[in-house]
Amino acid sequence: MEDTNFISEEIMEKIMTGVAVAGTAKSLGKEALIKANQGEFEEARALLSEAKKTFVEVHGCHFEFIQKEASGEKIDICLLLIHMEDRIMTTSLFLDSLEDQINLIERIDKLEKLIK
């Protein structure tokens, strides 16, 4: 019988770790946004900080793939690797804009309190 596994267990583990860590960071970011919308700005910023710290972990998984490819090792492209890349990119963009969103929500909150 032919071996249909073209991705090593090690690579698969790194991919799934990347997906999971990016997902955790994004979830923390969503919690931060919820807290900001509830007027809990300190907690929102604490969650954002935790999300960013968590997201740093995903760079380790991602950077290993880049290093391997840069050194000439072939990295097999699969749907899960593409999914990991997508999760990393969308989470990165979300977290990059989240601080601005929290700041804007806080400004609106302050203005609303002034006009009430």
Side-chain angles (χ1 to χ4, degrees):
M1 185 167 176
E2 184 179 322
D3 182 17
T4 56
N5 273 343
F6 64 92
I7 299 174
S8 72
E9 195 171 309
E10 175 192 357
I11 297 291
M12 183 62 73
E13 186 176 316
K14 285 181 170 77
I15 290 171
M16 296 312 290
T17 298
V19 169
V21 171
T24 298
K26 192 171 188 177
S27 292
L28 287 165
K30 286 181 180 182
E31 285 181 50
L33 192 55
I34 289 167
K35 291 296 180 183
N37 280 311
Q38 293 171 344
E40 298 174 30
F41 300 106
E42 283 185 39
E43 192 166 341
R45 287 189 176 88
L47 284 164
L48 174 58
S49 178
E50 188 179 343
K52 287 180 176 182
K53 286 177 189 168
T54 300
F55 189 67
V56 168
E57 294 176 36
V58 85
H59 288 292
C61 298
H62 190 249
F63 190 66
E64 283 185 47
F65 288 118
I66 292 170
Q67 280 184 313
K68 286 181 183 209
E69 191 164 293
S71 69
E73 187 176 329
K74 182 172 176 9
I75 301 295
D76 290 315
I77 304 295
C78 66
L79 190 56
L80 287 172
L81 181 60
I82 294 167
H83 178 59
M84 182 189 81
E85 292 289 328
D86 179 58
R87 292 292 282 193
I88 289 170
M89 184 65 180
T90 57
T91 300
S92 179
L93 289 169
F94 175 59
L95 294 180
D96 284 348
S97 68
L98 189 54
E99 188 170 1
D100 290 334
Q101 290 178 55
I102 291 170
N103 290 338
L104 287 171
I105 292 167
E106 187 173 27
R107 287 176 65 193
I108 291 167
D109 184 66
K110 287 177 182 177
L111 290 170
E112 286 177 339
K113 287 176 180 170
L114 284 174
I115 61 172
K116 285 186 180 181

